[in-house]
Amino acid sequence: MIHAVSLPEYTEAYQQQQRQQVLDSEVVHEWECILRSTLKPYTPIIMSGILSVMFGVFYFLSGDFHFIYFWAFLMLVMVPVSYFLFDADYDYKGQITPKGIIIQKTERVPEIFYKATRGMAYIGIVVCVIAALMVGPMAFVGAGAFALLSFKMTGFHKQTEIDIHPFHQNNSYQVLISRLDDMYQWDIYTFLCDVPDFIDTDYYDLHIMSFECKASDFANIESVLKEYVSFID
């Protein structure tokens, strides 16, 4: 069990201090990999199937074969979107410092998709403004969400997610998961461990340790980790 006197009060300041000391420490080891879902190759097939069924339903109900042009347009747009955006790959970078681990994840999405989204957002703003000038403020009734979304999406850019896992070096870690992950292609290894003494406390999520790497890199990463934290056998 935890001895309360050995731990500082769990506050926002404590969390920030723990994360900041990881960022301020020297990087002693780093690795990179790409995270790609094993289901990704099937995403365009599923999207094509959905659009084709929709075209079949519209054609059956209307008898108008001109829907095929709309179907072709949707296929041209939605199949690439489903492949790159709906199940995006990630550039994954891990760094080990004496105080903890830093994980960086960045979507591997072609810049053209971000530019297209921003362009559509500006078009949406123009449409809303023209509608307001022609119809008045009532034009925004029912379309307010679209207008707000358009303004928000003008700032749509590629961003990097950063997770920081501070070590708690006075406690030993137990390994929960250490295996090849069948969620990802290319032999990605998943590692997860926690501090048993912190279960059911606020400290648990802050000091849990998890990361992905190529299977061939794991032995080296594990060796470096053991220089800074102890593990329960």
Side-chain angles (χ1 to χ4, degrees), residues 5-232:
V5 294
S6 66
L7 292 171
E9 183 181 359
Y10 190 84
T11 62
E12 287 293 334
Y14 170 79
Q15 297 175 62
Q16 180 60 32
Q17 181 268 336
Q18 290 288 301
R19 294 189 176 103
Q20 191 60 48
Q21 70 177 3
V22 178
L23 295 172
D24 292 340
S25 298
E26 178 186 4
V27 174
V28 296
H29 184 76
E30 65 180 27
W31 71 94
E32 295 181 0
C33 62
I34 297 172
L35 301 184
R36 171 174 289 182
S37 168
T38 53
L39 298 179
K40 188 179 181 73
Y42 304 105
T43 304
I45 298 174
I46 294 172
M47 179 57 66
S48 299
I50 292 173
L51 294 176
S52 297
V53 169
M54 290 174 59
F55 167 72
V57 171
F58 284 130
Y59 178 68
F60 176 78
L61 294 175
S62 67
D64 187 353
F65 196 71
H66 288 91
F67 271 116
I68 195 171
Y69 299 112
F70 183 57
W71 170 82
F73 172 76
L74 287 180
M75 289 283 284
L76 185 64
V77 173
M78 294 306 298
V79 170
V81 166
S82 68
Y83 184 82
F84 288 107
L85 290 181
F86 293 172
D87 195 6
D89 297 345
Y90 285 90
D91 285 318
Y92 188 97
K93 182 177 182 179
Q95 297 176 312
I96 300 176
T97 79
K99 297 295 184 179
I101 295 178
I102 304 169
I103 301 298
Q104 301 177 48
K105 290 174 60 177
T106 306
E107 284 185 334
R108 290 174 59 88
V109 177
E111 183 60 28
I112 188 174
F113 286 96
Y114 294 97
K115 291 181 179 179
T117 300
R118 294 193 295 269
M120 292 175 63
Y122 283 114
I123 293 173
I125 291 172
V126 171
V127 170
C128 289
V129 170
I130 293 175
L133 292 174
M134 295 180 63
V135 183
M138 290 299 293
F140 288 100
V141 176
F146 176 74
L148 290 174
L149 181 62
S150 294
F151 279 103
K152 183 176 180 180
M153 296 307 287
T154 57
F156 189 49
H157 294 276
K158 184 179 296 187
Q159 296 182 348
T160 298
E161 302 174 21
I162 299 178
D163 291 323
I164 302 172
H165 304 280
F167 296 146
H168 198 276
Q169 294 164 316
N170 295 329
N171 294 77
S172 295
Y173 282 78
Q174 69 172 352
V175 177
L176 301 177
I177 297 174
S178 181
R179 58 170 173 77
L180 284 173
D181 197 328
D182 56 10
M183 288 180 56
Y184 301 112
Q185 300 181 35
W186 304 320
D187 289 337
I188 295 298
Y189 204 91
T190 292
F191 184 81
L192 171 66
C193 61
D194 67 0
V195 178
D197 286 345
F198 288 169
I199 294 175
D200 296 327
T201 73
D202 293 330
Y203 300 87
Y204 185 82
D205 289 336
L206 178 66
H207 292 292
I208 200 168
M209 189 194 325
S210 66
F211 60 83
E212 277 79 35
C213 65
K214 290 183 289 188
S216 57
D217 291 335
F218 178 71
N220 196 18
I221 294 170
E222 183 181 38
S223 176
V224 175
L225 285 175
K226 288 181 177 179
E227 296 179 20
Y228 302 101
V229 297
S230 60
F231 292 90
I232 299 171

